[in-house]
Amino acid sequence: MTTEIDNERILRVVRRFFRYVMFSHVWQGNEPPFQNVNVVKSVWNLPDTPPNEKLRNFCKETHGLGYSWAWSDTCCIDKSTSSILNQSLTSMYKRYANSVATLVFLVGVAHPSKPGDLAHSLWMTRAWTLQELLSLKVIFFYDSKWKPYLGNTGVNHKECPEIVEELADVIKVPRRTIITFLPEDLGVREKLRLASTRSATVEEDVAYSLIGICKSDIKPYYGEGADALGHLLEKIVARSSEVTVLA
């Protein structure tokens, strides 16, 4: 009979085997969707385009770090199925938080990179960046040539004082919060203030990108436009009675 100790050992082995690396980046035109990759069965069989080459480089770096599983939301989510898309959006914070590492490709940062380049990266202005950055335990930044940012080859860029100091200055979040963030660490108004400085291609993403760090249970519905933020605030007020967020 399998004992509780045996089950725990099996679970640890499974978790270790299925450790995965996440990919964060600025979309560049025709990113490969789930259907394209599903048809050819491998990213190596995709046409030679910059977005596809970016995906292949991500897979190469993941393998170089010693991991076998890689996740990119451009092609790992079947966006044609609303139920799958909604589930992925509501669980995105946990998906990043539970990853063994996240690789960030800074397409606009030239090589060799220099201190201060993060402030000029479009990645820093994306609505989803705040959630991704704060939820991560381990992060690696790469410049446009897929070289480590500032030449840092350490085990975690969140452990590099120079990089963390630069991040803190750019997003106006204390260094300690960047390193050890939990959703309870910041008040609702502070989270909304941080999010207000970011841009989104799709209007609803202003609200949906906050689902994880605000611990909200709103259901994404693309098509509701600006009402999405209203629904998020409504849920926050109902749960916390913090009506000051409406200001």
Side-chain angles (χ1 to χ4, degrees):
M1 177 179 290
T2 303
T3 66
E4 185 175 342
I5 295 178
D6 290 333
N7 286 333
E8 183 60 31
R9 287 174 177 169
I10 293 172
L11 186 59
R12 284 202 301 268
V13 171
V14 171
R15 286 174 176 169
R16 186 164 57 249
F17 178 76
F18 285 105
R19 290 184 298 180
Y20 60 93
V21 175
M22 296 287 286
F23 188 32
S24 185
H25 58 105
V26 175
W27 286 31
Q28 299 169 264
N30 297 319
E31 301 286 345
F34 170 84
Q35 286 74 16
N36 287 22
V37 178
N38 192 43
V39 167
V40 299
K41 304 303 180 184
S42 171
V43 298
W44 312 108
N45 296 329
L46 291 170
D48 292 330
T49 66
N52 292 342
E53 185 62 24
K54 175 175 59 177
L55 185 60
R56 285 194 281 262
N57 282 328
F58 164 56
C59 291
K60 291 177 183 177
E61 289 298 323
T62 296
H63 185 265
L65 291 172
Y67 301 105
S68 302
W69 300 92
W71 172 281
S72 173
D73 58 3
T74 57
C75 63
C76 291
I77 301 175
D78 184 358
K79 300 179 181 65
S80 66
T81 306
S82 59
S83 59
I84 294 177
L85 176 59
N86 290 347
Q87 182 182 21
S88 296
L89 291 176
T90 55
S91 62
M92 196 61 71
Y93 179 90
K94 290 184 178 179
R95 199 182 301 277
Y96 276 95
N98 293 332
S99 67
V100 68
T102 290
L103 311 188
V104 179
F105 178 56
L106 306 170
V107 64
V109 174
H111 177 76
S113 53
K114 59 185 183 300
D117 282 346
L118 283 182
H120 306 292
S121 170
L122 288 177
W123 182 84
M124 299 300 301
T125 68
R126 293 169 60 246
W128 291 97
T129 294
L130 182 64
Q131 174 176 263
E132 295 168 8
L133 178 60
L134 295 181
S135 66
L136 304 174
K137 299 181 182 69
V138 179
I139 189 170
F140 297 102
F141 293 103
Y142 293 84
D143 63 27
S144 58
K145 296 297 184 181
W146 280 94
K147 301 299 181 183
Y149 184 64
L150 303 185
N152 186 292
T153 57
V155 297
N156 182 4
H157 283 174
K158 275 197 173 185
E159 295 181 357
C160 172
E162 186 177 15
I163 294 178
V164 173
E165 186 67 38
E166 190 171 338
L167 285 172
D169 182 62
V170 172
I171 67 174
K172 309 305 179 185
V173 173
R175 291 178 56 183
R176 181 174 295 278
T177 300
I178 292 175
I179 298 171
T180 63
F181 176 79
L182 292 174
E184 299 81 11
D185 288 347
L186 295 176
V188 176
R189 290 193 67 182
E190 180 64 8
K191 293 172 184 176
L192 294 176
R193 182 191 68 78
L194 293 172
S196 70
T197 63
R198 303 181 176 281
S199 60
T201 304
V202 180
E203 190 173 20
E204 292 87 344
D205 283 344
V206 173
Y208 301 159
S209 62
L210 294 173
I211 288 176
I213 66 173
C214 288
K215 301 182 70 173
S216 172
D217 60 353
I218 64 170
K219 304 301 180 186
Y221 173 66
Y222 283 100
E224 62 178 339
D227 289 343
L229 186 57
H231 291 156
L232 176 68
L233 295 175
E234 182 181 24
K235 286 285 188 178
I236 291 173
V237 171
R239 187 184 70 245
S240 66
S241 299
E242 193 173 337
V243 295
T244 57
V245 302
L246 300 178

